[in-house]
């Protein structure tokens, strides 16, 4: 089992969340919500309006997202889906817990305010203009930015 922090289209209410609850892809369980302890730029880029957390700590906002526990099959699915290592790279990020609902037996219980380290799909290889794009604290495909995610098939 691996914990994954999602901040983009995999969050609840976002276009790819259902993929984590398709049993053909493996298993995922929502554990809680959190913010990155450091600031990162969360930008929306490419013609497909894809959200990317750029690995530039100290720039942007503390990014809001959700922590899921996933089995090895789901982790493999997500790595393929996110085109690791070309489009995204999975790295560990430090988080401050906001809400915790995970209750699985034997599972660590985290209270709001506690600090944990979790895997996240970030990107270290980006176009030169991406760091100067507008940054968001919490991604919403339907947000006021008008940049609706439009690549449901392949990403
Ligand atoms: N999917 C991953 C990375 C960005 C995206 O759209 C996520 O939701 O965290």
């Amino acid at each position: 089992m691996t914990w994954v922090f999602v901040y983009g289209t995999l969050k609840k209410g976002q276009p790819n969340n259902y993929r984590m609850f398709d049993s053909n892809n493996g298993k995922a369980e929502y554990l809680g919500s959190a913010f990155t302890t450091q600031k990162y730029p969360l930008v929306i880029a490419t013609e497909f309006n894809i959200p990317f957390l750029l690995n530039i700590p100290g720039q942007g906002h503390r990014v809001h997202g959700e922590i899921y526990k996933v089995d090895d099959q789901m982790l493999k699915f997500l790595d393929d889906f996110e085109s690791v290592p070309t489009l995204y790279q999975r790295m560990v990020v430090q988080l401050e817990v906001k809400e915790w609902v995970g209750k699985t037996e034997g599972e660590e219980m985290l209270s709001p305010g506690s600090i944990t380290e979790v895997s996240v799909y970030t990107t270290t290889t980006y176009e030169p203009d991406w760091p100067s794009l507008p940054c968001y604290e919490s991604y919403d495909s339907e947000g006021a930015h008008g940049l609706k995610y439009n690549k449901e098939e392949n990403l």
Side-chain angles (χ1 to χ4, degrees), residues 4-11 16 42 50-53 81-82 88 120-122 139 149 155:
V4 177
F5 175 67
V6 307
Y7 59 85
T9 61
L10 292 170
K11 288 194 303 184
N16 289 317
L42 164 51
I50 300 170
F52 292 97
L53 192 152
F81 180 67
E82 303 295 357
Y88 290 94
V120 60
Y121 294 101
T122 177
Y139 174 76
Y149 177 76
L155 284 172

Side-chain angles (χ1 to χ4, degrees), residues 1 25 44 56 75 86 97 102 107 111 128 147 153-154:
M1 291 289 180
N25 299 338
I44 300 175
I56 311 176
L75 187 65
T86 48
V97 172
E107 192 67 64
S111 35
L147 301 169
E153 286 310 306
N154 298 316

